[in-house]
Amino acid sequence: MDLKNEIVCCFKFMNLILEPKVLDKCEYLCKKYDVEPEEFCNIWCAFAASAMCTDAPTLQQLEQVERRELQKLNNSCPKTPKSNRVENRKNEEKEIKDGENLLGSDEGPIVTYGRIFNDGKGQLDMHSIMLEGTAELNSGQCVHLNIDKVHDKAIFPGQVVVVKGKMLSGDKLIAESLYTDAIGDLSLEPAVTEDPLRIIAAAGPFTLDENLDYDPMRDLLEYVSTNKPHVLILMGPFIDENHPIISKGDIAVRYDAFFENLIESISAALEDTNIQIVVISSMKDVHHHKVYPTPPYKLRENYPNIKYFPDPCLFKINDLILGATTTDIMYHIAKEEVVTMKKSDTLSRLPAHILQQRCFYPLYPPNSEVNVSYQFLESYGMMERLPHVLLLPSKFKTFAKNIQGCVVLNPERLTKGNIGGAFADLSISPGQTPTAERLNCKILNI
């Protein structure tokens, strides 16, 4: 497939049709900046989200994209060909053994920080680790990072680390210590509550793959109506773009109208109660923005018992601070991280990464399913405060874990293919002691 056709396919996937002159401009920019069509489309999506644009690009907008985004690519770090990595590694190991005595008093240990990234294509491994410095500290200089001396490590691309070590030959850093935890900078006061608080949380998809009847959603709403929590948290997707019927386009109504009807039915099912409904958006919703962070849903009708939040989000219920993201960041990190710990609990280590990095999506580059706007991520994807409860729905099995005072919860998804999934029922008892000590969580199958 030639370059133009690849560009057409990428934009068609986003339901965007390019005019001939616009297509020619896209082809020119891809060639000029050596950008793959898929990456170019992702760059456009991030720009379009910031400009609140849902239409295909214009020539004027592409010029803005070039100035704001593509010209930055000229400053990116060069890649090391994969074929040279093994030989480079052998040479590096020899330099470490033969020249370690040169690293003593003449250079002494240094302390620096930066971001982990991969020096080539493929998955990160012990031979391809690099450290990208900050513009303020060392003008974004990139060095190879050797972590053979660091025990019990778990690293992934995009992870911000502090390194204590010694420089070798000017472009190799031999790490003696590696620090990744920034939780200590975030304060967490107990959530002072005078009355019991009950929260039910569920994540989509909310219907089975074989139909669009939303029977699991109705079963959930029946449970909620019977048990009467104070708050119901519903995390998207609501109309999953990967649903077999949706992906084929076998639906008679507009997606936005379908979504409006679905939200109306949720509101109506609980309108005779005092239950507040929190709805968190998802970029996997076929009718919504395909960018992360994802803005909240906007509906024509106003429902007084429903509040809408973006993905990710931090919000308060009385004094209780909750954080949530509908994107499966734990699964994405698990596919990329390098772990050398002899004993490590995966389901504690993965959510700890998110808290330690103080970021809802610290992986870079992102998973191919996620179109990240880094301008928005810096503004809306960071944790300014440590939440008392962090909701991370994932493909992994359900869990609830206390990680440095934060209860991290994976309620799974309400449906999994053609079978029912699970949801969470949380109760927080009154008091002033640490919130994790007063929280009880039940994971229930639908």
Side-chain angles (χ1 to χ4, degrees):
M1 184 181 298
D2 61 28
L3 183 58
K4 272 192 177 181
N5 285 334
E6 288 187 50
I7 295 171
V8 168
C9 289
C10 288
F11 277 91
K12 190 175 181 181
F13 182 77
M14 307 299 298
N15 292 322
L16 299 176
I17 305 299
L18 302 179
E19 294 182 357
K21 290 184 179 180
V22 172
L23 178 57
D24 290 340
K25 181 69 172 180
C26 291
E27 182 188 31
Y28 167 77
L29 292 175
C30 285
K31 289 180 178 179
K32 180 178 179 179
Y33 293 97
D34 193 23
V35 175
E36 293 293 327
E38 184 177 358
E39 182 183 359
F40 182 82
C41 189
N42 289 343
I43 291 172
W44 162 254
C45 289
F47 171 84
S50 65
M52 301 304 291
C53 172
T54 58
D55 298 325
T58 64
L59 290 175
Q60 183 178 5
Q61 288 171 332
L62 288 178
E63 290 175 0
Q64 293 177 326
V65 170
E66 182 177 16
R67 290 195 302 269
R68 295 185 189 180
E69 304 296 337
L70 295 176
Q71 289 178 356
K72 298 177 184 178
L73 298 179
N74 290 334
N75 299 322
S76 62
C77 296
K79 303 295 184 180
T80 301
K82 190 172 181 180
S83 59
N84 294 337
R85 275 192 243 147
V86 174
E87 186 63 31
N88 288 347
R89 180 64 174 181
K90 291 178 180 178
N91 293 336
E92 178 183 332
E93 290 171 350
K94 186 176 186 300
E95 288 181 68
I96 294 171
K97 292 177 182 178
D98 296 343
E100 194 148 20
N101 62 322
L102 301 177
L103 303 175
S105 58
D106 293 336
E107 283 192 36
I110 65 168
V111 177
T112 186
Y113 64 92
R115 184 170 65 176
I116 298 292
F117 78 98
N118 193 346
D119 76 344
K121 296 182 178 180
Q123 190 169 355
L124 184 72
D125 57 36
M126 294 288 286
H127 308 290
S128 62
I129 303 169
M130 294 195 76
L131 183 71
E132 179 185 36
T134 65
E136 298 83 2
L137 186 65
N138 53 15
S139 302
Q141 181 183 2
C142 304
V143 296
H144 290 275
L145 182 63
N146 181 289
I147 58 173
D148 289 343
K149 293 184 178 181
V150 182
H151 303 292
D152 293 336
K153 47 190 171 281
I155 63 173
F156 60 90
Q159 186 179 32
V160 177
V161 300
V162 174
V163 181
K164 180 181 179 182
K166 299 176 182 178
M167 288 299 299
L168 181 69
S169 303
D171 64 347
K172 297 181 179 68
L173 177 58
I174 312 303
E176 296 176 349
S177 302
L178 200 66
Y179 307 94
T180 63
D181 191 351
I183 293 182
D185 295 339
L186 300 177
S187 60
L188 182 65
E189 299 295 329
V192 178
T193 53
E194 298 180 357
D195 301 304
L197 176 63
R198 190 171 181 185
I199 301 169
I200 292 176
F206 293 99
T207 189
L208 302 178
D209 277 357
E210 61 188 14
N211 58 54
L212 293 174
D213 293 341
Y214 287 82
D215 289 334
M217 170 72 84
R218 277 193 284 271
D219 292 341
L220 173 68
L221 293 176
E222 183 177 347
Y223 177 90
V224 171
S225 180
T226 301
N227 289 272
K228 293 182 172 56
H230 299 91
V231 179
L232 169 64
I233 300 175
L234 298 176
M235 297 173 278
F238 291 84
I239 313 176
D240 188 1
E241 63 184 5
N242 294 324
H243 189 284
I245 297 176
I246 297 298
S247 61
K248 292 179 182 178
D250 294 341
I251 181 172
V253 298
R254 287 170 53 97
Y255 294 129
D256 54 353
F258 187 93
F259 179 69
E260 294 258 4
N261 292 336
L262 183 61
I263 294 298
E264 180 183 14
S265 67
I266 294 171
S267 175
L270 301 177
E271 63 182 350
D272 294 331
T273 71
N274 292 322
I275 300 170
Q276 290 296 306
I277 306 169
V278 170
V279 173
I280 301 174
S281 64
S282 168
M283 64 175 291
K284 293 184 69 177
D285 268 298
V286 71
H287 68 289
H288 202 48
H289 298 286
K290 307 300 180 188
V291 67
Y292 186 92
T294 310
Y297 302 118
K298 288 186 178 180
L299 286 83
R300 293 188 295 270
E301 192 72 26
N302 179 44
Y303 302 100
N305 58 344
I306 298 181
K307 294 184 178 180
Y308 305 96
F309 288 90
D311 175 29
C313 59
L314 281 171
F315 60 97
K316 292 182 70 173
I317 301 176
N318 297 333
D319 279 343
L320 185 73
I321 302 172
L322 294 97
T325 180
T326 62
T327 303
D328 197 347
I329 177 58
M330 289 194 296
Y331 182 72
H332 295 170
I333 290 179
K335 293 172 65 177
E336 302 294 336
E337 70 172 347
V338 173
V339 182
T340 62
M341 300 176 180
K342 293 181 179 179
K343 293 183 179 179
S344 179
D345 177 7
T346 300
L347 297 185
S348 292
R349 186 183 69 251
L350 292 173
H353 282 316
I354 287 90
L355 294 173
Q356 290 172 357
Q357 295 288 293
R358 298 171 53 176
C359 178
F360 284 99
Y361 202 93
L363 182 66
Y364 181 86
N367 183 275
S368 60
E369 297 178 357
V370 185
N371 300 319
V372 176
S373 166
Y374 286 95
Q375 176 187 352
F376 279 172
L377 187 67
E378 186 174 342
S379 300
Y380 304 109
M382 309 303 292
M383 290 186 189
E384 298 178 357
R385 298 191 63 181
L386 187 66
H388 298 105
V389 178
L390 177 60
L391 299 172
L392 296 177
S394 174
K395 294 179 181 179
F396 291 111
K397 65 180 181 180
T398 59
F399 65 80
K401 293 183 178 290
N402 181 355
I403 300 178
Q404 297 192 28
C406 174
V407 177
V408 183
L409 172 64
N410 170 24
E412 284 192 1
R413 307 282 177 175
L414 196 67
T415 65
K416 294 184 286 187
N418 279 322
I419 61 173
F423 65 95
D425 190 337
L426 294 79
S427 298
I428 299 98
S429 56
Q432 301 181 5
T433 57
T435 310
E437 298 177 2
R438 295 182 282 120
L439 187 147
N440 178 60
C441 177
K442 295 186 293 184
I443 305 293
L444 304 172
N445 293 324
I446 196 67

